[in-house]
Amino acid sequence: MVFLQPLQEFLPSLLIKSFRTKKMLILTGVMLTAVLFVMVGETVQEMQLAEWIPTTKIDVDISAWLGVWFSVFPTIETLALQAFAMVFVIGSYLYLQFVRIWKPRMLENLN
């Protein structure tokens, strides 16, 4: 695959020039949050199949493709733990934004 060598050298430099570091880190954080959402749903379903945690089905029509691609299953435990994971991650981000950016600005405006 020697003919791909120039492409392998050119493509990363093109991506680095087109994306700023902060934007790239934000995009990485969003993708990791999506991966966490899927992993929590899959882990809860596996634990329910192993009967380690109870299964409480709810009467919601969730498409099969959501279960396959995003591990969204119609059980209280799955949906609750996925919601908890998202609230935790987004809440942590907002808290750090408050501490690092919003609070200093508010204190600066008071002085």
Side-chain angles (χ1 to χ4, degrees), residues 14-87:
L14 179 68
L15 288 175
I16 288 171
K17 288 178 185 176
S18 65
F19 286 116
R20 298 282 177 192
T21 305
K22 184 175 180 180
K23 290 180 183 178
M24 185 66 84
L25 288 174
I26 290 172
L27 178 65
T28 303
V30 169
M31 290 190 302
L32 285 172
T33 303
V35 169
L36 174 69
F37 183 81
V38 172
M39 289 182 68
V40 167
E42 188 65 32
T43 301
V44 171
Q45 190 217 17
E46 292 295 328
M47 293 174 94
Q48 286 173 333
L49 291 175
E51 297 180 358
W52 290 355
I53 59 174
T55 303
T56 310
K57 294 202 179 270
I58 55 176
D59 250 353
V60 176
D61 188 28
I62 296 178
S63 299
W65 67 269
L66 281 173
V68 172
W69 287 97
F70 299 110
S71 297
V72 177
F73 302 104
T75 65
I76 291 175
E77 295 82 10
T78 302
L79 297 176
L81 287 172
Q82 284 177 321
F84 173 76
M86 293 301 101
V87 166

